[in-house]
């Protein structure tokens, strides 16, 4: 009997442990994104004067071509992009585990009605993958830069990707991710609203669900700022960088709120399981052990 109860308890605790692991992946990833996005904000935007002709006698350049709206990055640019890639790998891992081990099994259990259950999580996975790809595009080598953010003299500007300059392609990926994240957040808000009503009907606490609502609203704010960031012209690169930083702060706060909601949900489920085990033991005539 006790072996069966222990097996049942272990299976019941598996899902909370998965949710805690997902929360840890999201939280650590979001923590890395904060300094990462801060370090890739341009320090200024300048107009470069590139010499195209030199005096035959003095060898001093006497003709130039002006290249406007060139962002100048700080010495931590390469480190910032590396942090972004690692952070987004963790966020993508958390989103993938959430889809595979939490939402997909629930969708299968619901049958045909469960298909809508995975649309939002799939959007989260695709959105995270698009941001990760965008971060890879922002690597110094793809942008025609050295690791410390200076222009690489061995390269002739940013690389070409799919018929676009690397900065433009990276911004496109961020806009795609913004749309996917916004769609996923909207679907999550609808699902949370249904969950709150269902919890209230059966008399269960919906505190964790109420906390997750502002988190998903912040996801929409992040998506909006990321999308606008990708649409801003090169001459506003500094302002665009700070707007993306504001969106990342919004994302971090949303992740913290979701971690709190997960903690409350896991704690509530454990209390419910303890009451269920106690009732089962009483029904068999056994007396549960008292622990200090």
């Amino acid at each position: 009997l006790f072996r069966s109860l222990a097996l049942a308890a272990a299976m019941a605790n598996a899902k909370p442990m998965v949710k805690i692991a997902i929360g840890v992946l999201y939280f650590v990833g979001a923590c890395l994104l904060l300094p990462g996005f801060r370090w890739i904000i341009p320090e200024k935007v300048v107009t470069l004067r590139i010499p195209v002709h030199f005096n035959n006698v003095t060898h001093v350049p006497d003709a130039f071509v002006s290249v406007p709206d060139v962002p100048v990055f700080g010495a931590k640019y390469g480190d910032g992009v590396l942090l972004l890639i690692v952070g987004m790998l963790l966020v993508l891992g958390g989103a993938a585990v959430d889809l595979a081990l939490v939402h997909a099994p629930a969708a299968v259990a619901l049958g045909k009605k469960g298909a809508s259950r995975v649309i939002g999580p799939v959007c989260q996975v695709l959105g995270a993958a698009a941001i990760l790809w965008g971060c890879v595009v922002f690597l110094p080598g793809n942008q025609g830069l050295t690791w410390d953010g200076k222009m690489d003299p061995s390269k002739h500007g940013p690389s070409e990707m799919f018929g676009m300059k690397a900065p433009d392609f990276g911004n496109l990926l961020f806009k795609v991710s913004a749309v996917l994240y916004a769609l996923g957040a909207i679907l999550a808000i609808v699902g949370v609203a249904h969950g709150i009503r269902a919890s209230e009907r059966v008399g269960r606490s919906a505190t964790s669900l109420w906390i997750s609502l502002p988190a998903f609203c912040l996801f929409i704010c992040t998506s909006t700022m990321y999308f606008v960031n990708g649409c801003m012209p090169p001459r506003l690169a500094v302002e665009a960088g700070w707007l993306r930083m504001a969106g990342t702060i919004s994302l971090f706060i949303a992740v913290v709120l979701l971690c709190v909601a997960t903690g409350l949900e896991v704690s509530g489920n454990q209390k419910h399981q303890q009451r269920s085990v106690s009732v089962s033991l009483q029904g068999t005539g056994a007396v549960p052990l008292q622990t200090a």
Side-chain angles (χ1 to χ4, degrees):
L1 170 62
F2 287 106
R3 184 176 297 174
S4 299
L5 288 173
L7 178 59
M11 294 177 63
N13 287 330
K15 189 173 181 180
M17 293 305 296
V18 168
K19 289 188 175 183
I20 291 174
I22 293 169
V24 170
L25 288 173
Y26 268 109
F27 181 76
V28 176
C31 287
L32 294 177
L33 294 183
L34 289 173
F37 277 118
R38 171 63 186 88
W39 291 347
I40 69 168
I41 297 175
E43 295 180 344
K44 57 185 177 180
V45 176
V46 299
T47 297
L48 295 181
R49 298 180 70 236
I50 301 176
V52 294
H53 185 269
F54 294 83
N55 185 282
N56 293 330
V57 177
T58 63
H59 303 292
V60 174
D62 55 10
F64 300 85
V65 171
S66 295
V67 180
D69 304 330
V70 177
V72 177
F73 297 96
K76 291 186 176 180
Y77 179 84
D79 295 333
V81 177
L82 183 61
L83 280 181
L84 291 178
I85 292 174
V86 175
M88 284 311 305
L89 280 172
L90 294 174
V91 171
L92 178 59
V97 172
D98 188 34
L99 172 62
L101 300 184
V102 177
H103 295 285
V108 172
L110 291 173
K112 294 181 178 179
K113 295 181 179 180
S116 59
R117 174 71 184 263
V118 297
I119 296 177
V122 167
C123 289
Q124 298 288 328
V125 172
L126 295 177
I131 292 181
L132 175 59
W133 192 0
C135 293
V136 172
V137 170
F138 286 148
L139 280 169
N142 295 327
Q143 300 294 316
L145 304 172
T146 59
W147 193 260
D148 58 358
K150 295 182 173 61
M151 294 189 64
D152 189 345
S154 66
K155 297 182 180 293
H156 301 286
S159 303
E160 289 278 347
M161 295 183 174
F162 300 96
M164 306 170 63
K165 290 291 186 180
D168 297 329
F169 183 59
N171 287 334
L172 175 62
L173 288 172
F174 267 81
K175 287 190 284 187
V176 171
S177 70
V179 173
L180 291 169
Y181 262 116
L183 178 59
I186 292 171
L187 293 174
I189 289 173
V190 173
V192 168
H194 286 301
I196 290 174
R197 288 197 293 268
S199 297
E200 291 175 346
R201 281 198 298 267
V202 298
R204 293 192 63 180
S205 174
T207 303
S208 62
L209 294 175
W210 280 110
I211 292 176
S212 65
L213 273 180
F216 289 119
C217 290
L218 287 172
F219 272 119
I220 295 177
C221 293
T222 296
S223 299
T224 302
M225 285 185 272
Y226 278 6
F227 189 89
V228 174
N229 162 267
C231 297
M232 296 177 71
R235 62 185 175 82
L236 298 177
V238 177
E239 291 82 355
W242 282 108
L243 181 64
R244 187 169 52 204
M245 185 66 198
T248 306
I249 293 173
S250 176
L251 173 65
F252 177 77
I253 296 173
V255 168
V256 171
L257 289 175
L258 289 178
C259 288
V260 172
T262 299
L264 291 175
E265 180 185 355
V266 169
S267 176
N269 288 340
Q270 286 179 340
K271 291 179 180 179
H272 179 72
Q273 291 166 13
Q274 289 173 356
R275 287 195 295 267
S276 300
V277 170
S278 178
V279 171
S280 300
L281 289 172
Q282 290 173 5
T284 61
V287 179
L289 295 174
Q290 300 295 322
T291 58

